Amino acid sequence: MRPSSLISSAVVLSTSTVVVGLSLHRPSISHTNSLTSPILRSNTALRLGDRDDISDYGKQRTNSELDSLISKRDAIKKNIVANTKPDDDTPPIDEMSDDDIAKMLSDEADVDKLFSRDYVPTFETKRGPSRTGLSSGESGGVLDGEEEDDPERALFVDWTEDYDDENEFHIPNRIGFTTAEWGDKKKGFVAGKLKKNERKAGKFNKSDLKKAYEKLQQNGVSFVETSESSSFAEAFLNKFVNEIEHGDRPLVASTFANPWKHAIKTKSLPRRGSKAVIDAAEACCDRMGVSSMSLFQVKNPYFYIGGTSALAEGMLDVISDDHSRYVGCINMSTSKLAKLQRQLRAQGEFVATNQFDFSLTNRKSLAMIEACKKMNITPVCTNVLDGGLASGKYTSVNPTGGEVSKGEGDTGPYSVRTLEKLDTLFKVQDSLREKVNSRIGDRLSKFDAGKAPKINREITTTQIAINYVKAKGAVPLVPVNNVKMANEVLGCLGWDLTEEEVLELDKACKTCGV
């Protein structure tokens, strides 16, 4: 598809929308490319207002009517499920081996090959075309057409509004940011005002977080991920969501922490059963001051008291109780994902995402990206810069990355031996940085003065690494603590790596043993 204009092809929203105490739901986009015949849910949610001033009789009447509506809804859902013919005679998921599960995902799947180090997903970068942008190199994208005459340039543009390889849960621009380091002193957070030397050293405070959040939300990156494990992050989001003017409704995701780590941290008994999941989701909403989240993720507990069925029941209740619009997983294995997906689909719902580590210098989870795609689950990737190693900033000739020295003998965060091993990859990253810059510049020059779309023309090796994750079909979650990093993320929008460029990086990774 060759879009004719930026404004008509991208989703452009006015930045005058202020989100105050509203549900964080986004209208869903229905797709039919799932493994089984999905029963798509309604976008409507039953809500009650403040009942403090209602009489006792009124409250009883309200409860009675609510119970009646819930009973009718459950009866309709059961009837739909009962009359939905299964695609095959597949046995219950609990009775299936990993080989059976892999075969269910793909008749040609080989479990040993799937989890081997050298396995590369067959889909490569064959994704549905974006409506705008520079995704296809020499063909397709906004630069093949003309931009409409519009003197008022809206800030929030969704370059990936119409991708075919995603489920109902649409993440604008297929990129997000994480609050994993917010409030963490070990990561550089400072509670008060920053001194000059602290800022040079990369430290950050609440003011930096607020400015970065605002910059991203107003310019196309609305997906933000946090966790109940970080009370600081949820408290900051509570303020930011309600105080800042957004370009679009923010998509907020939180996480049900590992029950064993949570027990140690809180010095309590491990959480168990479906109710623990519901209670955690409700508490997250309360701490962030929102009526509902966009996504609630369950971290792999490895062993959960109540089993997978209790987790599935809890995830279903989180949706039905309107604590979250969608549910997802973190670090779930292929077999657990398949079990959860089938259990949720049996009730008309689905697992929307699975989150795990993946980067240009840590590609061990390539097989998981492929597995997620086959189950119609969106892969969301964390640590996309591999702690900084994948950024291309640190090299054998510049081991400190140009940062302020920490003292005599400081050789940077990585050994010279590690950096030398990746020299080939870093050189390819740098050459692609120049190549993409040239490609964007050439095509923007075709526009009349003042009519070219606002796309970054100073591509960095960090942005090459981030968009590599996108090119593999995943949604990168980037840690953002200041405006500088927010600009790095925004600089990834509006252009993609071509398949040839991705293959260059793949080849360099293999040469370096990555």
Side-chain angles (χ1 to χ4, degrees):
M1 177 172 61
R2 300 168 75 91
S4 60
S5 68
L6 174 65
I7 301 301
S8 64
S9 302
V11 174
V12 185
L13 302 175
S14 169
T15 58
S16 62
T17 305
V18 181
V19 179
V20 181
L22 295 177
S23 165
L24 301 183
H25 292 171
R26 176 185 178 88
S28 61
I29 301 175
S30 299
H31 294 271
T32 57
N33 58 341
S34 56
L35 285 175
T36 60
S37 301
I39 303 170
L40 299 182
R41 59 173 155 278
S42 167
N43 289 328
T44 59
L46 184 62
R47 299 178 184 274
L48 295 178
D50 189 354
R51 301 191 302 164
D52 290 343
D53 56 349
I54 299 178
S55 66
D56 290 340
Y57 172 76
K59 290 180 181 179
Q60 292 174 4
R61 184 75 179 270
T62 300
N63 288 333
S64 176
E65 292 178 358
L66 177 59
D67 291 340
S68 176
L69 285 171
I70 291 174
S71 297
K72 289 180 181 178
R73 183 200 63 182
D74 291 342
I76 292 170
K77 182 179 288 187
K78 287 179 181 178
N79 185 55
I80 293 173
V81 173
N83 288 283
T84 301
K85 184 179 179 180
D87 291 342
D88 51 37
D89 296 324
T90 305
I93 194 73
D94 293 328
E95 299 175 10
M96 296 174 68
S97 65
D98 279 348
D99 285 345
D100 292 330
I101 293 168
K103 188 174 182 180
M104 176 188 72
L105 300 178
S106 172
D107 290 337
E108 300 176 357
D110 182 327
V111 174
D112 293 331
K113 181 181 178 182
L114 187 67
F115 289 99
S116 66
R117 181 179 178 83
D118 298 327
Y119 177 76
V120 178
T122 55
F123 72 90
E124 292 291 342
T125 59
K126 291 178 174 58
R127 304 166 296 156
S130 61
R131 290 203 174 179
T132 58
L134 311 180
S135 59
S136 56
E138 294 304 319
S139 64
V142 66
L143 300 185
D144 291 316
E146 299 256 341
E147 185 183 4
E148 291 181 358
D149 293 326
D150 188 347
E152 295 185 8
R153 188 77 61 92
L155 292 176
F156 194 102
V157 179
D158 183 4
W159 298 87
T160 60
E161 179 241 347
D162 190 27
Y163 270 60
D164 293 330
D165 68 335
E166 64 181 3
N167 51 44
E168 261 188 73
F169 181 44
H170 175 69
I171 299 173
N173 288 308
R174 304 194 81 158
I175 193 169
F177 62 106
T178 175
T179 66
E181 298 177 357
W182 291 16
D184 189 342
K185 293 182 180 179
K186 293 180 181 179
K187 298 295 183 179
F189 177 75
V190 176
K193 189 175 180 180
L194 286 176
K195 297 177 181 178
K196 200 171 184 179
N197 61 331
E198 289 178 323
R199 191 168 291 284
K200 282 185 178 180
K203 294 185 181 295
F204 58 96
N205 59 13
K206 181 182 175 181
S207 177
D208 292 316
L209 298 178
K210 184 175 182 179
K211 290 176 182 177
Y213 176 89
E214 183 174 26
K215 184 92 174 177
L216 291 168
Q217 289 288 346
Q218 291 185 352
N219 290 275
V221 181
S222 60
F223 181 49
V224 53
E225 185 254 9
T226 188
S227 172
E228 63 171 344
S229 300
S230 178
S231 56
F232 277 108
E234 288 187 329
F236 289 150
L237 281 177
N238 187 329
K239 288 183 174 294
F240 300 165
V241 167
N242 291 290
E243 292 178 358
I244 289 174
E245 183 175 308
H246 295 70
D248 190 14
R249 290 182 178 181
L251 302 182
V252 178
S254 195
T255 307
F256 179 69
N258 182 296
W260 306 102
K261 291 182 179 179
H262 181 269
I264 294 172
K265 184 177 180 180
T266 59
K267 297 180 181 179
S268 60
L269 292 173
R271 295 189 291 194
R272 58 198 179 278
S274 60
K275 191 175 184 302
V277 182
I278 307 165
D279 291 344
E282 184 176 8
C284 285
C285 289
D286 291 342
R287 285 191 295 271
M288 291 188 290
V290 297
S291 60
S292 178
M293 295 172 283
S294 299
L295 177 71
F296 188 63
Q297 306 166 113
V298 174
K299 206 165 189 176
N300 188 0
Y302 299 102
F303 173 76
Y304 188 69
I305 302 174
T308 305
S309 59
L311 286 177
E313 185 180 346
M315 293 165 82
L316 287 167
D317 287 340
V318 165
I319 295 173
S320 64
D321 290 354
D322 201 29
H323 297 316
S324 179
R325 183 69 179 86
Y326 301 100
V327 290
C329 299
I330 296 180
N331 292 327
M332 287 287 185
S333 65
T334 304
S335 58
K336 278 190 176 181
L337 271 179
K339 290 176 183 178
L340 280 170
Q341 187 69 305
R342 295 196 73 174
Q343 288 173 328
L344 264 63
R345 278 183 174 168
Q347 300 300 320
E349 302 294 347
F350 64 97
V351 177
T353 62
N354 186 38
Q355 183 187 129
F356 49 88
D357 285 359
F358 178 78
S359 69
L360 188 56
T361 52
N362 177 17
R363 307 192 311 152
K364 296 177 183 178
S365 297
L366 271 172
M368 179 55 77
I369 294 178
E370 173 77 343
C372 285
K373 289 292 183 180
K374 288 177 178 177
M375 288 186 279
N376 200 27
I377 294 172
T378 300
V380 176
C381 293
T382 49
N383 200 17
V384 293
L385 296 176
D386 199 10
L389 184 60
S391 67
K393 178 180 176 181
Y394 307 98
T395 64
S396 58
V397 295
N398 184 21
T400 62
E403 295 177 347
V404 177
S405 174
K406 296 178 181 179
E408 187 176 349
D410 178 26
T411 58
Y414 305 101
S415 68
V416 174
R417 183 177 180 181
T418 297
L419 297 175
E420 285 177 343
K421 179 185 174 183
L422 297 171
D423 268 345
T424 301
L425 175 59
F426 295 150
K427 288 177 182 177
V428 171
Q429 267 183 275
D430 194 52
S431 68
L432 288 182
R433 175 188 62 80
E434 295 178 355
K435 185 177 179 180
V436 173
N437 270 328
S438 177
R439 170 156 55 89
I440 293 174
D442 288 345
R443 303 190 73 194
L444 287 176
S445 65
K446 297 178 181 179
F447 285 81
D448 295 334
K451 290 190 175 183
K454 292 183 178 179
I455 297 176
N456 177 28
R457 297 184 64 173
E458 296 181 1
I459 307 300
T460 66
T461 52
T462 294
Q463 290 159 355
I464 295 292
I466 293 172
N467 273 10
Y468 174 80
V469 176
K470 288 176 67 177
K472 286 300 180 183
V475 174
L477 272 183
V478 188
V480 175
N481 302 326
N482 52 49
V483 172
K484 181 180 179 181
M485 196 61 212
N487 286 330
E488 283 278 15
V489 173
L490 293 173
C492 296
L493 307 188
W495 62 274
D496 288 333
L497 294 168
T498 64
E499 289 195 19
E500 292 76 15
E501 290 163 351
V502 174
L503 287 173
E504 278 190 67
L505 289 168
D506 286 339
K507 184 177 179 181
C509 286
K510 290 180 180 179
T511 300
C512 297
V514 178

